[in-house]
Amino acid sequence: MNNRFFITDSKIKWILLIPSVLLLLFILIYPLIFSLRLSFSEWKAGSDMVFVGFENYKDLFTDKLFYTALKNTFIFVILATLFELIFGFILALILNREIGKIRNIFRTCLILPMMLTPVVVGVTWRMLFNPQYGLINFFLNITGFQWISNPKIAIFSLIITDIWEWTPFMFIIILAGLQSIPDYLYESASIDGAGTIHVHKYITLPLIMPTILLAVIIRSMDAIKVYDIVYTLTYGGPGSSTEVISWYIYRQGFTYWKMGYAAAASYIMLILIAVLVMLFLKYTNKFLKIS
Amino acid sequence: MKKTLLWVIVLVLSISMVGAFSFVGCKEEAAPAEEVTEEAAPIEEEAVEEVTEEVGLNFEGVKLNVLMMSHPPALEAAKIGCADFEELTGAEIDIVEASYSTLHDLAMSAFVGGTGAYDVISVPYQWTGEFTEPGYIISLDDFIAKDDPDIDDYIPKAVALYGSWDGHVVELPWNGEAMLLFYRTDLLEEAGFGPPVTWDDFDEICEFFKDNPDYPGIYGTSIMGLREQCMTMVTNRYWGLGGELIDESGNASMDNETMVKALNLLAKHANDYSPPGALAAGLPETTAAFLDGTVVMEEQWPLVIGIASEDPDQSKVVGKVGAIVPPGQSPHSGGWGLAIANDCKDKEAAYQLAKYLTNVENDKYFFTEFGKAPTRVSTYADEGLQEKYYFFEELMKSIDAARPRFREPESAELCGMMDQRVSEFLAGELTAEECAKIMNDDAMEILSK
């Protein structure tokens, strides 16, 4: 029998992969290329796409609001992710210990904010932040303090809301990481006389660092796209104090129908994020090596 | 290996970012819009026969999708009206509700994408040009010539503003609104003031109540300083002081002393005379403050406060509220009409639905039952209604006196720009002079494209 009529194992592997690869190319690569083309075009509602070269990018770099949106987004992402990580880590450490049945109740309660629709979260916090009737001012006994109407404070109010909603995400991921650390390591450290700080510094932290890294990347990617709570809490205001990049892009694209311009803004954002993530990974890898 | 991993992560990140842009619109669509399944309202048999005779049509098997603003009175009216229409004609109707800002984006996404998602759309007048010029909504002239919806009974201003474009009727006026100034009759009387006619009168009253130990916790006014409301607030003042947004030759006309004065007035009213939090206050917060009895005067959309102020379940100021055309007598116009999408499959059914929802009987019924703002002259001429509703006569006057925001095809961008710039001014990012100049320059740039 002639061998050429049979497909070898290595070939069949590639043939079977073809449909998946084609599908991926269609749903991932095509939008990427289309968006790139769009960013060099003007495409307004009711008209054809016209190639305009770097015009959209030129306009972007002269738009002060774009820079403000970038600045606000980075403040939001850095602070929100940082505090979510800190709170999530502390909560995970506490609830990783044997504290009886109450642990399950706490875990469930902690996950609840993440389950809520972001629009509900925004509307709820809008009421909580109300300077006259809001519960926050009531409990802090500071009637009249303006959380979302003060341009200097508004972005921090968004950050507080995001921390409340997304700390559970960090908590879950880090808790999973903590539970994967074998008990015998802690037992050995205990026998060797290591204190709590040393245990966490030399055992917990290095072992869950990859998990933390993953959580931070996922969470910061999500925070960059923040939109819902801006829509429900501040509409990007007062002034441009809570203008973030997704809100900016959305309005340019879907309210003003400047699709090319919005695509250009997306690509600038994309390049910046790619550079930042590469730097982040590079330094984290160095840190992991040292650890 | 690490390098490969690095690049894989960067690629995934890149794709997700572009994905975020591609899908952010879909996300928006999913959040505030809500499919509504109407329950058929009970209709008395006689009434059914009577109206069936009037409608005289059978749309069995026809399905219509209606995109409706989630403005409670108009939405409730639409739900009941559509349910009645279903029962009378056999048509099947789905209502998709959307907030003011979302409605524009949903409609445009459907138009540009050619999805044919909506057949009948409630269109605020500022988007009439944007939807009509590219042919997304159709002229109703032929339908009206064949089957007159009592067109002469609509308020002429409503037909002109949220009914017509370029000499053609493209919408049937559905919800007629213009800003009114609501005021506390008891407080003004007690303090010896009459309702304010000019902005100076308004200031004088506000100043009197500011930190007045005889009126603790009472604020002169309550400004909607939320970014999406800023243009409305400033134009009430700008037009009232005699300004024009666009001059006769079609050029922007905002870089002037009148605009500077209007902006400074607005800032004073928001910062000095309103309850704390004015720069993030929208319609719910300001309405609640007025109904709670802590505000003396408030510019507001009429049907929001008008009906609620007389309802003891919602208001602490029942019987103590009056209404007047805002100072300067050139308030901001609201109002929207019902338009038919070009890609609607059964335009006759869609037209009949729009006609039915806005007919003379329903116009009155929807107002008395739900508080939807009428658009018919005959409704406003009803003496019984004039006696029953304290704001009714003033509302008609206000609609007549009201000025429209932009109606150009670039309206959404122009309005968004003004909201943005005025909000930046209120937040202290721009001076009044800078704001007036930038708005003018931006408007010229948008109009010249």
Side-chain angles (χ1 to χ4, degrees):
Chain A
M1 199 180 272
N2 198 332
N3 266 353
R4 66 192 170 148
F5 292 111
F6 291 94
I7 303 168
T8 60
D9 278 357
S10 61
K11 275 184 187 166
I12 202 159
K13 200 166 60 183
W14 290 109
I15 289 169
L16 289 173
L17 272 174
I18 287 173
S20 313
V21 171
L22 287 178
L23 185 70
L24 276 173
L25 281 174
F26 180 72
I27 62 172
L28 293 179
I29 307 298
Y30 174 73
L32 201 66
I33 294 168
F34 181 78
S35 304
L36 184 65
R37 185 180 151 218
L38 195 56
S39 75
F40 292 103
S41 313
E42 185 178 305
W43 190 29
K44 294 204 87 172
S47 60
D48 294 331
M49 204 188 289
V50 182
F51 181 76
V52 291
F54 284 93
E55 201 63 34
N56 290 325
Y57 290 93
K58 203 178 91 189
D59 290 348
L60 256 183
F61 289 122
T62 54
D63 187 354
K64 270 167 79 178
L65 192 59
F66 176 66
Y67 291 108
T68 309
L70 277 180
K71 185 192 81 185
N72 288 340
T73 305
F74 283 116
I75 292 173
F76 180 87
V77 171
I78 290 166
L79 290 182
T81 311
L82 179 69
F83 282 101
E84 282 157 20
L85 175 64
I86 294 169
F87 293 144
F89 188 70
I90 293 169
L91 286 169
L93 280 179
I94 295 169
L95 292 177
N96 190 38
R97 301 166 68 182
E98 284 302 330
I99 52 172
K101 281 184 180 173
I102 201 167
R103 183 166 78 165
N104 290 336
I105 298 168
F106 270 121
R107 279 186 191 177
T108 312
C109 290
L110 277 170
I111 293 168
L112 282 179
M114 201 173 66
M115 307 292 210
L116 289 174
T117 312
V119 173
V120 174
V121 173
V123 172
T124 308
W125 277 85
R126 191 175 168 80
M127 289 191 275
L128 290 172
F129 282 136
N130 186 295
Q132 284 185 293
Y133 312 107
L135 280 178
I136 295 178
N137 279 4
F138 174 76
F139 284 121
L140 295 176
N141 200 17
I142 45 170
T143 310
F145 185 80
Q146 301 186 32
W147 291 92
I148 53 173
S149 49
N150 182 338
K152 288 178 183 151
I153 305 286
I155 188 78
F156 300 105
S157 306
L158 288 187
I159 292 168
I160 291 170
T161 309
D162 196 76
I163 290 171
W164 180 83
E165 188 182 6
W166 289 109
T167 295
F169 174 80
M170 290 290 197
F171 160 71
I172 290 174
I173 303 268
I174 295 170
L175 185 66
L178 287 175
Q179 290 184 340
S180 68
I181 301 174
D183 284 343
Y184 69 83
L185 291 176
Y186 290 115
E187 283 160 14
S188 310
S190 166
I191 292 164
D192 291 342
T196 311
I197 294 174
H198 277 85
V199 165
H200 289 317
K201 190 176 171 189
Y202 294 110
I203 298 178
T204 311
L205 217 50
L207 286 177
I208 63 160
M209 192 49 92
T211 312
I212 288 178
L213 180 64
L214 181 77
V216 167
I217 290 177
I218 294 176
R219 187 58 215 121
S220 50
M221 273 165 55
D222 207 31
I224 285 167
K225 293 183 283 183
V226 63
Y227 171 85
D228 322 70
I229 57 171
V230 178
Y231 177 80
T232 45
L233 271 174
T234 62
Y235 261 79
S240 54
S241 60
T242 57
E243 184 86 30
V244 290
I245 199 71
S246 292
W247 178 249
Y248 177 85
I249 292 171
Y250 172 80
R251 286 196 308 133
Q252 299 296 331
F254 293 96
T255 303
Y256 308 155
W257 280 93
K258 292 158 73 178
M259 282 298 180
Y261 189 80
S266 294
Y267 264 89
I268 297 291
M269 188 63 191
L270 181 137
I271 292 163
L272 287 172
I273 296 168
V275 170
L276 279 176
V277 171
M278 280 170 70
L279 289 173
F280 183 69
L281 286 174
K282 196 177 164 187
Y283 285 105
T284 318
N285 279 338
K286 264 189 188 173
F287 172 78
L288 283 175
K289 262 186 200 170
I290 295 163
S291 298
Chain B
M1 181 65 190
K2 266 183 192 163
K3 210 173 174 184
T4 315
L5 180 70
L6 200 72
W7 280 111
V8 168
I9 290 172
V10 170
L11 183 67
V12 170
L13 198 66
S14 312
I15 289 164
S16 70
M17 193 51 212
V18 174
F21 164 61
S22 308
F23 294 113
V24 71
C26 308
K27 196 177 174 188
E28 162 64 9
E29 279 177 27
E34 190 185 330
E35 283 273 343
V36 179
T37 314
E38 311 87 15
E39 286 174 16
I43 310 172
E44 300 213 356
E45 267 179 38
E46 275 178 29
V48 171
E49 278 168 22
E50 210 172 281
V51 189
T52 309
E53 246 174 52
E54 189 198 313
V55 174
L57 293 163
N58 182 359
F59 294 122
E60 203 74 49
V62 174
K63 192 175 175 201
L64 294 172
N65 293 311
V66 178
L67 180 59
M68 191 61 69
M69 186 98 69
S70 56
H71 177 278
L75 183 65
E76 289 308 309
K79 284 180 189 173
I80 296 299
C82 286
D84 289 354
F85 190 78
E86 282 182 320
E87 202 148 314
L88 294 167
T89 65
E92 190 189 329
I93 302 170
D94 273 341
I95 298 179
V96 175
E97 58 182 273
S99 66
Y100 169 76
S101 52
T102 318
L103 190 138
H104 171 268
D105 307 348
L106 283 179
M108 281 299 283
S109 302
F111 292 150
V112 175
T115 62
Y118 311 112
D119 301 298
V120 177
I121 300 150
S122 62
V123 181
Y125 66 84
Q126 55 269 36
W127 304 330
T128 305
E130 189 179 358
F131 291 178
T132 310
E133 285 284 310
Y136 296 143
I137 58 176
I138 59 168
S139 162
L140 305 179
D141 289 347
D142 291 345
F143 291 100
I144 291 168
K146 234 173 25 184
D147 185 5
D148 183 13
D150 288 328
I151 192 98
D152 294 336
D153 189 48
Y154 290 114
I155 303 167
K157 186 87 179 258
V159 177
L161 195 53
Y162 28 100
S164 309
W165 183 258
D166 205 16
H168 301 282
V169 176
V170 292
E171 299 164 37
L172 296 184
W174 160 242
N175 194 63
E177 292 201 69
M179 280 226 144
L180 276 180
L181 182 80
F182 290 89
Y183 60 89
R184 288 282 299 280
T185 48
D186 56 333
L187 292 176
L188 288 192
E189 201 181 313
E190 201 177 300
F193 290 109
V197 178
T198 64
W199 286 109
D200 286 341
D201 298 343
F202 186 88
D203 277 5
E204 198 186 339
I205 296 169
C206 287
E207 196 58 45
F208 174 82
F209 283 100
K210 187 186 175 190
D211 300 326
N212 190 327
D214 296 335
Y215 299 94
I218 297 288
Y219 295 88
T221 188
S222 180
I223 292 294
M224 292 193 284
L226 187 66
R227 199 158 92 176
E228 67 159 357
Q229 300 284 358
C230 282
M231 182 196 178
T232 307
M233 290 286 110
V234 81
T235 47
N236 273 344
R237 285 152 185 78
Y238 183 57
W239 288 325
L241 295 169
E244 297 281 347
L245 294 178
I246 293 183
D247 65 19
E248 283 168 2
S249 50
N251 293 319
S253 167
M254 290 178 254
D255 186 12
N256 52 48
E257 275 305 309
T258 314
M259 179 55 90
V260 171
K261 194 175 172 194
L263 286 164
N264 285 327
L265 263 183
L266 179 63
K268 186 162 70 168
H269 297 160
N271 298 328
D272 297 349
Y273 301 142
S274 293
L279 299 197
L283 199 138
E285 289 86 0
T286 51
T287 306
F290 188 84
L291 296 178
D292 196 39
T294 58
V295 173
V296 183
M297 301 175 291
E298 182 172 312
E299 300 144 79
Q300 193 50 272
W301 297 109
L303 276 303
V304 178
I305 283 186
I307 302 279
S309 63
E310 293 301 288
D311 177 1
D313 291 338
Q314 299 181 59
S315 166
K316 290 182 183 171
V317 291
V318 177
K320 297 174 185 170
V321 182
I324 191 173
V325 180
Q329 288 72 48
S330 288
H332 195 103
S333 179
W336 57 92
L338 295 178
I340 297 169
N342 197 15
D343 45 16
C344 167
K345 288 194 182 71
D346 197 325
K347 294 185 176 67
E348 177 62 30
Y351 173 71
Q352 289 300 334
L353 174 63
K355 184 184 158 208
Y356 178 74
L357 289 175
T358 62
N359 72 24
V360 176
E361 295 77 22
N362 276 336
D363 192 58
K364 192 170 166 182
Y365 171 67
F366 290 155
F367 170 66
T368 51
E369 198 65 23
F370 308 107
K372 183 198 77 71
T375 52
R376 294 278 185 177
V377 174
S378 53
T379 309
Y380 283 100
D382 189 309
E383 286 178 6
L385 294 179
Q386 287 178 7
E387 263 177 43
K388 193 173 173 190
Y389 298 98
Y390 68 92
F391 60 90
F392 208 55
E393 271 188 274
E394 289 298 319
L395 175 57
M396 179 74 185
K397 281 186 208 166
S398 194
I399 289 174
D400 263 342
R403 307 275 299 270
R405 48 172 67 193
F406 303 102
R407 290 190 81 216
E408 286 69 14
E410 303 83 7
S411 172
E413 194 174 354
L414 287 164
C415 296
M417 177 276 292
M418 275 194 79
D419 281 333
Q420 168 74 33
R421 296 304 186 193
V422 176
S423 181
E424 286 174 5
F425 160 70
L426 289 176
E429 295 172 24
L430 300 171
T431 64
E433 288 77 11
E434 285 169 346
C435 182
K437 184 175 185 327
I438 290 174
M439 282 197 294
N440 201 69
D441 293 348
D442 285 355
M444 285 302 287
E445 195 186 327
I446 294 167
L447 288 168
S448 67
K449 277 179 188 170

